[in-house]
């Protein structure tokens, strides 16, 4: 239970950075997106020249670390996921004439997520409780003038919940549309 409290405290601290946001020339100030791949909503807020806080809520395809073979068992769970993204190639994309609208760049990010799978039966035993992870991912995001947006990231994380904690892979795919944004990207 202490590990879950630690993850929740980290989420609260990261969320507090909204009040001290500094906007730069690269990141969009805000983007609100609808995610179709994992049905839900996503909000990305620019925090600095190359950093954003990305928050996703909805249903997400995920592994269940409580089963014997977690990498072979996927399910759809209600989830809240947060990433503090550092985009590292805005300048190079701009020099090469590529679009950076909608934070179209590559990133690395500490990532946390909390899943609420509910009560389920695994190996003839009832398993209850939330699943959470904290780790590091690398990925890319691309947005187009039509509003179409996708992002893909992969990494590793430490999973906690009603099972023995373990390090497992993380992979996220978001496909959807930007439905509201406030652009910043001056000079682009």
């Amino acid at each position: 239970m202490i590990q879950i409290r630690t993850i929740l405290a980290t989420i609260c601290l990261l969320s507090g950075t909204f009040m001290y946001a500094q906007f730069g020339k690269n990141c969009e100030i805000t983007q609100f997106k609808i995610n179709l791949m994992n049905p839900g909503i996503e909000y990305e807020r620019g925090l600095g020249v190359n950093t954003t806080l990305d928050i996703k809520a909805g249903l997400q395809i995920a592994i269940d670390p409580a089963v014997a073979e977690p990498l072979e068992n996927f399910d759809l769970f209600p989830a809240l996921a947060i990433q503090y993204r550092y985009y590292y190639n805005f300048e190079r994309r701009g020099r090469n004439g590529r679009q950076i609208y909608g934070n179209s760049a590559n990133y690395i990010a500490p990532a946390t997520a909390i899943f609420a799978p509910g009560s389920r039966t695994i190996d003839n035993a009832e398993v209850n409780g939330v699943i959470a992870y904290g780790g590091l991912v690398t990925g890319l995001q691309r947005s187009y003038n039509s509003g179409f947006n996708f992002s893909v990231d992969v990494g590793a994380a430490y999973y906690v919940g009603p099972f023995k904690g373990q390090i497992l892979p993380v992979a996220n795919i978001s496909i959807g549309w930007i439905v509201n944004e406030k652009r910043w990207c001056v000079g682009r």
Side-chain angles (χ1 to χ4, degrees), residues 122-172:
I122 299 173
D123 296 331
N124 296 321
E126 186 173 334
V127 177
N128 227 343
V130 299
I131 299 168
Y133 72 69
L136 186 65
V137 297
T138 183
L140 62 90
Q141 176 169 254
R142 298 295 183 264
S143 302
Y144 301 93
N145 288 331
S146 66
F148 179 75
N149 170 275
F150 74 91
S151 64
V152 177
D153 55 63
V154 295
Y158 185 76
Y159 286 74
V160 295
F163 49 84
K164 183 179 180 203
Q166 56 189 318
I167 296 174
L168 293 168
V170 173
N172 295 300

Side-chain angles (χ1 to χ4, degrees), residues 61-85:
I61 298 170
I63 60 175
D64 188 346
V67 300
E69 298 292 331
L71 298 178
E72 297 174 9
N73 294 288
F74 296 89
D75 211 339
L76 195 62
F77 299 136
L80 174 66
I82 298 176
Q83 295 179 342
Y84 180 77
R85 294 178 174 176

